[in-house]
Structures are given as C-alpha cells and as structure tokens.
C-alpha cells in the first residue's frame, strides 16, 4: 500500500457506525470506490406503489436534548427550508405523473423531519400507482436525475450546473440501488459520500446546499461544513 492508500472496508464500516444512514452503499468499479452513507431515498417500487422521498432542509444535531429539540422546531418552522422542500415536491410530483395511473400521485407527508446521527433533515414523501404500461426503465429514468440534486426547473437548472460548476459530478448526485427479481427496486441519492481512486490514491468528499433567493451564503457554507464534517472526521 502507498502512503495515500486507505482501508476501504474499514473506513466504510466506520462511516456506517457514525452516520447510521439508511441508504448506504459500497461500490467498486476497477480502481474507483464509492463509500456512500446516504440518508436519502431517490425512488422505490413496492408492488404497484412508487415512493420518492426527496430531502431539502438541514439542521445540526446537538448533544443538549433541549437544544436538539429546538433545532428540529426551527427546521420545521423555517420558511426558507419549506420553500426549498415544496419546490422539489412539486417537481417530483410532475416526474412521477409521467408513469402513474391518472390522479394517483399523492403527497403522503410534507415537511416531515427525520433525525440522523449527524443532522436533522426535512423529508417529504410522494407516492403514485404505476401505470401497468410503464416498465422499470420508464419509472427510473422518468425521474432521473433527482430533483433534490438539480433544483427546478430541472432542465434549466442542469444547464446552469453545467455552466457554473467547476467539476464534473460523476457519480456524485447520481444513484446506487437494486432491482429485485419480482420487479421491486430501491435507489438512493449519492450524497454524504467518499470517492476514492486507489490507483492515484486520491480521495474526494463533495457536498452542497440549495440556493434560493432567500439563501444566506454564510449559512449555506456552514451547512456544507456540517454535512462534510462527520465524514472528514474519519481521516483525521
């Protein structure tokens, strides 16, 4: 092993222990590794039901129980976070409608808050009943890329991402998942991840936040540090 090599299984195990993320994944393609501890589901199928659960809205955890509860309430009551979340919910509703039985798209939960080891997240749940004429590829690619990682309107946002971002996202903001023999599937959103190239012994951690007209640049930067902090702690 070289000076810059890492113990991939060991780091992934440690990340899982600290993050306890429900949509984690370890992926390898030749010398490229993904160590993903994602809290976000992109899209899933259970029987005839399609489920999407975009995340928009982040708040820090606190070791003080009262402060931790206050952080949850601040997240729930934040007009800025709600505006971001509902924007993506509307986008996802439109995406699911492409392959849904008419009038079956529903928002089962709006502005729900889920707590993870590192952060609190605002999560909404949108479902639909899949049209029998739609196959797996229609459902997945009809919603890809996920709106929580592009913003809205999706096509224009992607054009701006291509114009202004200084690097290619690659697998970051993409998806890893499985398709079961019965046709059910579950795919995550590739965030809160370590990207490692063992040949070049290079490691990258990419994070971001949602920018709206109400965004405070300093707070958005703090959110990025919050998201990256628990991951970067593994390499200190």
């Amino acid at each position: 092993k070289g000076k810059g090599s890492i113990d991939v299984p060991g780091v992934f195990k440690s990340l899982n222990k600290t993050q306890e993320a429900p949509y984690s994944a370890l992926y390898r393609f030749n010398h490229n590794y993904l160590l993903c501890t994602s809290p976000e589901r992109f899209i899933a199928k259970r029987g005839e039901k399609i489920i999407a659960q975009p995340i928009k809205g982040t708040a820090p955890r606190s070791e003080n129980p009262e402060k931790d509860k206050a952080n949850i309430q601040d997240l729930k009551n934040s007009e800025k976070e709600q505006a971001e979340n509902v924007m993506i919910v509307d986008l996802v509703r439109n995406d699911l409608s492409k392959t849904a039985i008419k009038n079956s798209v529903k928002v089962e939960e709006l502005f729900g808050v889920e707590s993870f080891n590192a952060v609190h997240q605002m999560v909404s749940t949108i479902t639909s009943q899949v049209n029998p004429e739609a196959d797996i590829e229609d459902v997945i690619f009809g919603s890809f890329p996920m709106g929580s990682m592009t913003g809205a309107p999706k096509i224009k946002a992607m054009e701006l991402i291509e114009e202004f971002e200084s690097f290619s996202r690659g697998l970051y903001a993409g998806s890893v998942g499985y398709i079961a023999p019965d046709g059910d599937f579950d795919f995550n959103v590739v965030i809160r991840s370590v990207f490692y190239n063992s040949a070049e012994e290079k490691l990258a951690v990419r994070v971001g936040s949602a920018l709206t007209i109400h965004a405070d640049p300093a707070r958005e930067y703090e959110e990025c540090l919050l998201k990256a902090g628990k991951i970067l702690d593994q390499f200190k």
Side-chain angles (χ1 to χ4, degrees):
K1 288 187 177 181
K3 185 178 179 181
S5 64
I6 67 170
D7 172 17
V8 173
V11 171
F12 181 66
K13 184 177 179 180
S14 181
L15 281 169
N16 262 313
K17 186 176 180 180
T18 57
Q19 299 285 87
E20 292 187 349
Y23 302 108
S24 296
L26 178 61
Y27 170 84
R28 176 189 176 187
F29 181 71
N30 295 329
H31 52 265
N32 291 298
Y33 294 83
L34 168 71
L35 296 77
C36 177
T37 58
S38 175
E40 183 173 2
R41 168 182 276 150
F42 163 40
I43 196 168
K45 180 176 180 287
R46 298 290 182 267
E48 303 308 312
K49 186 176 184 178
I50 305 298
I51 306 160
Q53 293 183 292
I55 285 178
K56 268 288 165 273
T58 304
R61 296 300 308 262
S62 174
E63 293 181 3
N64 183 311
E66 293 305 316
K67 174 60 175 171
D68 204 49
K69 290 180 181 179
N71 288 347
I72 292 175
Q73 289 305 313
D74 288 345
L75 177 58
K76 285 183 175 180
N77 298 331
S78 170
E79 291 185 6
K80 182 253 184 189
E81 303 288 18
Q82 288 181 2
E84 289 179 11
N85 195 284
V86 78
M87 173 180 67
I88 303 307
V89 166
D90 283 343
L91 189 156
V92 172
R93 289 172 63 234
N94 180 69
D95 284 346
L96 293 190
S97 70
K98 299 173 186 176
T99 56
I101 294 174
K102 188 175 181 180
N103 297 324
S104 69
V105 179
K106 298 178 180 177
V107 180
E108 292 197 358
E109 183 177 27
L110 186 64
F111 308 148
V113 172
E114 295 186 18
S115 298
F116 303 93
N117 272 7
V119 292
H120 301 292
Q121 303 275 195
M122 184 177 284
V123 185
S124 291
T125 301
I126 306 97
T127 64
S128 68
Q129 295 296 311
V130 67
N131 189 318
E133 296 181 1
D135 59 25
I136 291 172
E137 291 85 353
D138 293 331
V139 176
I140 295 174
F141 291 109
S143 294
F144 190 86
M146 54 291 292
S148 61
M149 298 305 292
T150 63
K154 184 184 284 189
I155 300 301
K156 182 60 178 179
M158 291 168 64
E159 291 173 353
L160 292 172
I161 288 168
E162 183 68 22
E163 180 180 354
F164 290 107
E165 288 192 352
S166 59
F167 64 92
S168 173
R169 290 189 177 188
L171 187 51
Y172 172 67
S175 185
V176 173
Y178 69 85
I179 301 173
D182 62 2
D184 282 1
F185 56 77
D186 212 339
F187 285 85
N188 72 1
V189 179
V190 177
I191 52 176
R192 317 293 158 81
S193 298
V194 174
F195 301 87
Y196 175 60
N197 183 316
S198 62
E200 299 179 6
E201 296 188 344
K202 289 184 178 180
L203 181 148
V205 176
R206 294 167 177 167
V207 294
S209 65
L211 298 179
T212 68
I213 194 66
H214 301 295
D216 177 342
R219 292 192 66 177
E220 298 300 327
Y221 182 65
E222 289 175 5
E223 182 177 316
C224 289
L225 295 179
L226 175 65
K227 291 173 178 177
K230 293 286 186 180
I231 297 175
L232 294 175
D233 284 346
Q234 303 296 317
F235 304 98
K236 290 182 177 179

